């Protein structure tokens, strides 16, 4: 090796001047097979040790270091003067100024001091070249500098040509060159020298010394004896570091491209603005913002809303139209502007006109019509009445939903309808927060915006069918909407501004109040819309349904006429409901048959008779409920309420002999109805003497209570007195009074309690030809609220005790055995 042939490959920043570190590797020109161990045979068992803070020297590699510590300076002077080789070891902790044996790594390198340079700034730089690795056994002296006991290592190298090692060296060389080439200012001379260097040991050691990693990793490489193993470990580290360099470069490139793209878009946008101004036009986004400001000037909103709008429009003006947030901000500002702040339609206070419209569109419903007229009258006098929250409840098909349109027309207000059936997301009511992607206002605010006024008639349809799940409880969100004390400041999450709903007339509809939460019920004024009797259905069909369906099917008003008996036949034999929805479907079916004949040119009868109804609609679907007589003991007629109206039902009791008496209840009965049967039997058993029943019959008789039509589920306590009467009749064989029906709950003491659905039950009794009805005393108030025409032909018997029921219902006459 020629000492004058040295090339410094890179420049690193120097650390503190009092340190012994900071190395700048120097590439040495060398022969292909040189092992750099020249002169190490003169080294004995001890050697002066130069500690380095953060540098690991490898055999063959030359590196400059700055000497700053007093002991290091003394060691260098002594070695130069005596022309001695020294030992170089790296410190485990670079912060220690006076390292001891335990502070040094136990593998170091024998080094030669090639040159000492006194720098202009007063520091001393020493160029060291590694010779051979050694193991530091101990420190024998610490003054005037460190002297250690060592044992030299021999590098394990293949004795003959190794193709695998050559391939490893070539790969390491390529990676080293790539890493050097990736620098901002690559050292071309150094790259050229590395490519032309053929010494495998030197290339591996030079790359190990030069990798950009910490001293611990380099020390790990230095400690590996086998050259091939060291090459594999080095290749792994080089690959990892090179991938990191590539990743950093990729990130920088992407960031650079993104910034360039944004700058390009901004530049083009400014050019478009300049061109539009030259052509005499304005930017389309500026025009849109100007339109929003113009709309805002006409709004009658409060000062607070105006301040929010101004703040949001300024934010919109500052946004780049290409920004994703721009369209979201535009949507929000448009929502604020399009809401009817303080805009109200003028109510029509003509009470006679309102009454005429309500009577024109709906037959009956006197309570509802009376309530609307009262509201209109008070509004006319006071002029600022808060709108009531009305809940119309009753069976399906009685006109609850369509009543909203009539009310809106009567008040000259806008009409909106919102179906709540199946709703289970609270955000549907209150809206989503603007932080969500695709956020929008709730359906309450959306429908008010659609109405265009702040006082529409708002129908909340099917409020009893609101669900709840993990997304929240919409029924709880409705509490604020339907509370006249709170909805003046309704807060929508998306809008984030209070909106006044107090002038909106909310009308809720429901079929079943049991599924509505109590707090929600408490906020509404409940108005029952009960079912229609056959006479009412007849009038509704003739006045409303038939003309409506004739128009819907393109049939002229004078072409076809319905006979009243034909309409009665449809009501009695083809429908079974409290409302008129099914009736309208049947009339529509008749109209389709007529329309087909007219379109085909066939002759059509101008009057639809009962015969034509059977021809068009086929076999009768329902047999009207009929009283079945009293020839059998133990059969009693009861009254029941269903979702589609009232019905009569028969309670049958039979007795049979058995060793272990038991009670059997059949007929698809619910738990409450089964309990009524148990209570009834217990009452009869405990009052056997008063009822003139032989007590021994309970010891050897099985009791079977059956309610026919087992396919239909039945439940509720209202069949209690019917079951007692049936049991007493079965045990005593006394006949039951003709044309009698009853309903009422019983207690073990024999008290008769009131039940609900009285009107529907009375309608069912009339249809079946019942003349006498037994009710609880407390149900007398329900009868007083029913129209007299509904009660025509019926006699009511009010009772408070089951004994009164038995005394009236059972005759002295007995049935034949």
């Amino acid at each position: 090796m020629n000492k004058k042939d040295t090339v410094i490959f890179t420049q690193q920043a120097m650390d503190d001047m009092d340190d012994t570190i900071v190395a700048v590797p120097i590439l040495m020109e060398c022969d292909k097979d040189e092992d750099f161990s020249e002169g190490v045979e003169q080294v004995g068992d001890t050697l002066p040790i130069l500690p380095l803070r953060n540098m690991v020297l490898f055999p063959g590699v030359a590196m400059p270091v700055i000497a700053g510590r007093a002991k290091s300076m003394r060691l260098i002077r002594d070695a130069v003067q005596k022309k001695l080789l020294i030992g170089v070891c790296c410190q485990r902790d670079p912060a220690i100024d006076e390292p001891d044996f335990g502070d040094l790594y136990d593998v170091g390198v024998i080094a030669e001091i090639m040159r000492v340079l006194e720098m202009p700034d007063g520091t001393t730089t020493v160029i060291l070249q590694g010779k051979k690795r050694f193991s530091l056994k101990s420190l024998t002296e610490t003054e005037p500098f460190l002297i250690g006991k060592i044992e030299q290592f021999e590098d394990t190298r293949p004795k003959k040509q190794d193709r695998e090692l050559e391939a490893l060296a070539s790969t390491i060389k390529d990676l080293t060159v790539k890493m050097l080439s990736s620098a901002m200012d690559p050292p071309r001379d150094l790259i050229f020298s590395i490519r032309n260097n053929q010494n495998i040991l030197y290339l591996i050691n030079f790359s190990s010394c030069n990798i950009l990693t910490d001293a611990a990793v380099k020390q790990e490489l230095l400690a590996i004896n086998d050259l091939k193993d060291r090459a594999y470990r080095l290749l792994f580290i080089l690959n990892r570091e090179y991938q990191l360099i590539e990743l950093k470069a990729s990130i920088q490139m992407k960031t650079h491209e993104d910034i360039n793209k944004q700058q390009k878009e901004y530049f083009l946008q400014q050019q478009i603005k300049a061109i539009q101004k030259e052509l005499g036009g304005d930017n389309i986004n500026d025009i849109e913002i100007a339109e929003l400001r113009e709309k805002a000037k006409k709004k009658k909103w409060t000062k607070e809303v105006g301040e929010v709008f101004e703040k949001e429009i300024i934010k919109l003006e500052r946004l780049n139209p290409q920004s994703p947030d721009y369209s979201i901000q535009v949507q929000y500002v448009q929502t604020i502007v399009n809401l009817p702040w303080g805009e109200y339609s003028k109510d029509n206070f003509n009470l006679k006109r309102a009454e005429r419209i309500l009577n024109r569109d709906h037959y009956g419903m006197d309570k509802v019509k009376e309530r609307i007229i009262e509201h209109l009258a008070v509004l006319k006098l006071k002029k600022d009445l808060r709108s009531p929250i009305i809940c119309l409840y009753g069976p399906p098909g009685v006109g609850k939903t369509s009543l909203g349109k009539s009310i809106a027309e009567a008040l000259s207000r806008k009409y909106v309808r919102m179906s709540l059936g199946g709703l289970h997301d609270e955000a549907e009511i209150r809206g989503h927060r603007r932080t969500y992607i695709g956020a929008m206002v709730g359906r309450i605010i959306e429908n008010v915006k659609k109405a265009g006024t702040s006082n529409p008639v708002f129908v909340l349809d099917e409020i009893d069918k609101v669900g709840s799940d993990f997304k929240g409880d919409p029924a709880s969100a409705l509490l604020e909407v339907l509370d006249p004390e709170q909805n003046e400041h309704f807060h929508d999450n998306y809008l984030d501004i209070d909106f006044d709903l107090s002038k909106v007339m909310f009308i809720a509809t429901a079929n079943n109040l049991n599924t509505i939460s109590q707090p929600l019920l408490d906020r509404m004024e409940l108005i029952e819309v009960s079912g229609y009797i056959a006479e009412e259905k007849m009038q509704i069909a003739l006045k409303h349904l038939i003309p409506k369906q004739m128009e819907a099917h393109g049939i002229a008003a004078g072409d076809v006429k319905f006979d009243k008996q034909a309409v009665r036949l449809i009501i009695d034999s083809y429908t079974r409901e409290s409302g008129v929805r099914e009736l309208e479907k049947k009339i529509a079916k008749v109209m389709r048959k007529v329309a087909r004949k007219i379109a085909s040119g066939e002759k059509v009868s101008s009057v639809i008779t009962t015969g034509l109804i059977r021809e068009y609609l086929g076999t009768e679907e329902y047999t009207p409920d009929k009283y079945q007589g009293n020839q059998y003991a133990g059969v009693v007629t009861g009254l029941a309420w269903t979702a589609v109206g009232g019905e009569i039902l028969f309670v049958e009791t039979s007795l049979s002999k058995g060793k272990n008496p038991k009670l059997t209840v059949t007929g698809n009965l619910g738990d409450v109805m089964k309990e009524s049967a148990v209570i009834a039997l217990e009452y009869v058993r405990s009052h056997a003497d008063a009822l003139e029943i032989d007590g021994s019959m309970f010891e050897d008789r099985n009791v079977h209570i059956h309610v026919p039509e087992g396919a239909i589920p039945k439940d509720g306590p209202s069949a209690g007195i019917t079951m007692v009467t049936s049991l007493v009749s079965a045990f005593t064989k006394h006949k039951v009074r003709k044309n009698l029906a009853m309903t009422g709950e019983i207690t073990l003491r024999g008290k008769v309690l009131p039940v609900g659905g009285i009107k529907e039950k009375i309608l069912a009794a009339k249809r079946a030809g019942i003349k006498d009805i037994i009710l609880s005393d407390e149900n007398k108030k329900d009868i007083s609220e029913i129209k007299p025409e509904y009660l025509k032909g019926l006699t009511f018997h009010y009772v408070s005790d089951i004994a009164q029921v038995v005394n009236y219902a059972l005759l002295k006459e007995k049935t034949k055995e």
Side-chain angles (χ1 to χ4, degrees), residues 539-599:
Q539 295 300 321
I540 292 169
L542 294 173
K543 292 181 179 179
H544 299 283
L545 303 182
I546 293 173
K548 177 183 174 182
Q549 290 302 321
M550 287 179 71
E551 183 183 350
H553 290 82
I555 301 172
D559 289 354
V560 177
K561 195 176 182 183
F562 272 75
D563 182 59
K564 285 189 176 182
Q565 293 304 316
V567 178
R568 170 69 78 168
L569 179 64
I570 297 175
I571 293 168
D572 291 342
S573 301
Y574 291 92
T575 64
R576 177 167 288 181
E577 58 177 347
S578 291
V580 291
R581 188 171 285 138
E582 191 67 26
L583 176 59
E584 186 174 11
K585 290 178 184 177
K586 297 300 180 185
I587 292 171
K589 186 175 181 180
V590 172
M591 290 300 175
R592 287 196 298 273
K593 303 285 187 185
V594 173
R596 179 180 175 181
K597 287 192 173 186
I598 294 174

Side-chain angles (χ1 to χ4, degrees), residues 167-173 175 208 221 228-242:
L168 279 170
S170 178
T171 308
I172 289 169
K173 182 192 293 186
L175 266 177
S208 298
L221 288 169
K228 191 185 292 186
D229 291 344
R230 190 186 305 165
Y232 268 117
R233 180 60 183 161
L234 172 63
L235 187 58
F236 172 79
I237 296 169
L238 283 173
N239 271 314
R240 184 182 65 193
E241 295 300 322
Y242 185 66

Side-chain angles (χ1 to χ4, degrees), residues 366-367 393 528 530 758-759 762 778-791 798:
D366 295 335
K367 279 186 181 179
Y393 72 96
E528 184 179 6
S530 54
I758 296 300
K759 182 181 176 183
I762 289 171
E778 295 181 43
N779 280 125
K780 192 180 291 185
K781 63 181 184 299
D782 299 307
I783 300 298
S784 63
E785 294 178 356
I786 299 174
K787 288 183 179 180
E789 55 263 34
Y790 287 15
L791 309 177
Y798 301 105

Side-chain angles (χ1 to χ4, degrees), residues 60-238:
V61 180
M63 297 190 77
V65 297
I66 299 173
R69 288 183 282 200
K71 285 186 180 181
S72 299
M73 293 296 294
R74 286 196 293 269
L75 184 149
I76 291 167
R77 291 193 193 100
D78 186 70
V80 170
Q81 185 179 1
K82 296 179 181 178
K83 297 183 180 181
L84 299 175
L85 297 179
I86 65 172
V88 177
C89 291
C90 182
Q91 292 182 197
R92 296 179 186 276
D93 184 359
I96 298 173
D97 287 329
E98 295 290 337
D100 202 351
F101 176 73
D103 301 321
L104 300 174
Y105 284 106
D106 54 4
V107 177
V109 174
I110 298 170
E112 178 186 0
I113 300 175
M114 297 175 63
R115 189 172 299 177
V116 178
L117 303 173
E118 298 293 338
M119 306 305 290
D121 59 0
T123 60
T124 300
T125 299
V126 183
I127 297 177
L128 302 174
Q129 183 188 12
K131 291 287 186 180
K132 194 174 183 181
R133 299 181 306 122
F134 67 82
S135 171
L136 180 63
K137 298 301 182 180
S138 63
L139 289 179
T140 58
E141 294 182 33
T142 57
E143 293 295 339
F145 44 77
L146 302 180
I147 297 177
K149 188 176 181 180
I150 68 163
E151 181 182 334
Q152 295 186 30
F153 280 142
E154 293 294 337
D155 281 324
T156 305
R157 300 178 64 181
K159 293 181 180 179
K160 59 181 179 179
Q161 189 178 18
D162 190 330
R163 304 293 293 175
E164 185 181 356
L165 182 60
E166 289 178 2
L168 279 170
S170 178
T171 308
I172 289 169
K173 182 192 293 186
D174 292 342
L175 266 177
T176 305
V177 169
K178 280 184 181 179
M179 291 176 73
L180 290 171
S181 301
S182 64
M184 292 291 292
D185 186 15
R188 301 188 184 279
D189 293 339
L190 178 60
I191 292 171
F192 177 79
S193 298
I194 291 174
R195 280 179 175 161
N196 292 303
N197 198 308
Q198 300 300 316
N199 190 307
I200 294 175
L201 174 64
Y202 183 74
L203 280 171
I204 293 172
N205 286 345
F206 180 81
S207 296
S208 298
C209 188
N210 193 41
I211 54 176
L212 300 175
T213 185
D214 56 32
V217 176
K218 294 180 182 180
Q219 189 68 38
E220 177 191 346
L221 288 169
L222 183 65
I224 299 174
N225 291 327
D226 188 81
L227 189 61
K228 191 185 292 186
D229 291 344
R230 190 186 305 165
Y232 268 117
R233 180 60 183 161
L234 172 63
L235 187 58
F236 172 79
I237 296 169
L238 283 173

